[in-house]
Amino acid sequence: MNVLLIDVDNKIPNLALMKISAYHKSIGDNVGFFVSNPDIVYASVVFKQNKHHVDGLKLFYPYVDIRIGESGYDLKSRLPGTIEQMRPDYSLYPDCDYSMGFRTGGCFRNCHFCIVPEK
């Protein structure tokens, strides 16, 4: 299967896409940011103001399974447990020379524009 990954608005490596890549590679799929003729497309939108960037995906890939997630698109979206447990595929971001993980400790500020308390 050909799996296309779209990182809409991250300036840093996207941990969710790295785990998705690791999962699909583990089952023998062709995965990357520049995959032609995809069978499945995963798009990650972190910031709400960039949500419109994925609006046309269904028109561009009418017969493809499209999965869009992250907090800018759907605050309640989650990776399936099997994918969430994967070790990230760092080869997606060759310039990333550090380990990534997700840590939550909350934030005491509660700024009106921030979604962290809700997430």
Side-chain angles (χ1 to χ4, degrees), residues 15-27 79-90 100-101:
L15 186 58
L17 292 179
M18 291 166 75
K19 289 181 176 195
I20 290 167
S21 176
Y23 171 76
H24 280 281
K25 285 181 177 178
S26 77
I27 59 174
L79 290 174
T82 307
I83 295 176
E84 183 63 51
Q85 300 304 317
M86 296 298 293
R87 173 171 257 144
D89 175 12
Y90 287 92
M100 292 184 58

Side-chain angles (χ1 to χ4, degrees), residues 72-107:
Y73 192 80
D74 178 6
L75 194 55
K76 298 187 184 332
S77 68
R78 300 283 183 265
L79 290 174
T82 307
I83 295 176
E84 183 63 51
Q85 300 304 317
M86 296 298 293
R87 173 171 257 144
D89 175 12
Y90 287 92
S91 71
L92 280 180
Y93 299 93
D95 294 335
C96 180
D97 61 354
Y98 52 89
S99 292
M100 292 184 58
F102 184 78
R103 183 177 158 232
T104 179
C107 178

Side-chain angles (χ1 to χ4, degrees), residues 102-119:
F102 184 78
R103 183 177 158 232
T104 179
C107 178
F108 64 89
R109 290 190 179 87
N110 245 352
C111 301
H112 71 280
F113 58 84
C114 185
I115 62 166
V116 168
E118 185 179 348
K119 189 163 179 148

Side-chain angles (χ1 to χ4, degrees), residues 25-76:
K25 285 181 177 178
S26 77
I27 59 174
D29 294 337
N30 176 34
V31 184
F33 293 121
F34 304 103
V35 172
S36 300
N37 303 315
D39 299 297
I40 186 168
V41 173
Y42 288 94
S44 172
V45 183
V46 175
F47 301 106
K48 282 184 189 179
Q49 68 264 23
N50 295 326
K51 188 176 182 178
H52 68 280
H53 288 289
V54 294
D55 290 343
L57 280 178
K58 292 203 186 291
L59 295 172
F60 199 72
Y61 299 107
Y63 305 108
V64 173
D65 181 9
I66 298 175
R67 300 176 188 184
I68 305 168
E70 270 296 355
S71 47
Y73 192 80
D74 178 6
L75 194 55
K76 298 187 184 332

